[in-house]
């Protein structure tokens, strides 16, 4: 789908998720970053990037920035916002106990 329509946001999200599941985290990051370039209010893209940065790329500050952006966007998803707050309160691996 991305070959035909490289700016298709749904396809970018699905490609990023598929790459994430295949443990190709750097490649997944690229898809989610492109998604946010196209739609800077896509909270799912921010969340997915935060998880990748926090748990797989050892960049907890970038993860925090992305999680805080979700709160700033304030999507109408109480469960997501609760998960974001939990992630903000939980140290990244190697950050302490």
């Amino acid at each position: 789908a991305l070959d035909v329509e490289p700016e298709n946001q749904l396809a970018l999200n699905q490609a990023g998720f598929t790459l994430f599941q295949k443990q190709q985290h750097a490649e997944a990051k690229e898809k989610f970053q492109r998604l946010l370039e196209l739609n800077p209010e896509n909270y799912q893209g921010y969340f997915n990037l935060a998880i990748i940065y926090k748990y797989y790329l050892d960049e907890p500050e970038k993860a925090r920035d992305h999680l805080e952006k979700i709160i700033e966007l304030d999507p109408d998803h109480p469960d997501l916002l609760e998960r974001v707050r939990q992630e903000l309160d939980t140290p990244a691996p190697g950050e302490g106990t």
Side-chain angles (χ1 to χ4, degrees):
L2 289 174
D3 289 339
V4 175
E5 194 178 342
E7 295 187 353
N8 182 305
Q9 293 180 37
L10 180 59
L12 280 167
N13 188 62
Q14 292 297 347
F17 186 74
T18 299
L19 289 164
F20 175 81
Q21 286 185 314
K22 293 173 67 177
Q23 297 185 10
Q24 295 175 330
H25 301 116
E27 295 87 350
K29 177 187 83 166
E30 292 174 14
K31 299 298 182 195
F32 293 128
Q33 285 175 324
R34 181 65 182 135
L35 176 61
L36 292 178
E37 289 171 10
L38 295 170
N39 181 359
E41 294 188 5
N42 186 306
Y43 59 86
Q44 292 171 324
Y46 286 107
F47 187 80
N48 293 335
L49 274 173
I51 297 302
I52 289 171
Y53 282 127
K54 184 174 182 177
Y55 295 104
Y56 302 98
L57 298 181
D58 195 28
E59 297 186 57
E61 288 304 315
K62 286 186 179 181
R64 179 169 291 283
D65 292 344
H66 283 72
L67 292 167
E68 289 173 349
K69 181 65 177 179
I70 296 169
I71 291 174
E72 179 184 314
L73 291 172
D74 193 29
D76 187 26
H77 294 274
D79 292 337
L80 172 69
L81 290 173
E82 178 60 29
R83 175 92 191 273
V84 166
R85 288 184 184 94
Q86 288 173 350
E87 288 295 338
L88 284 168
D89 290 340
T90 304
E95 271 193 326
T97 56

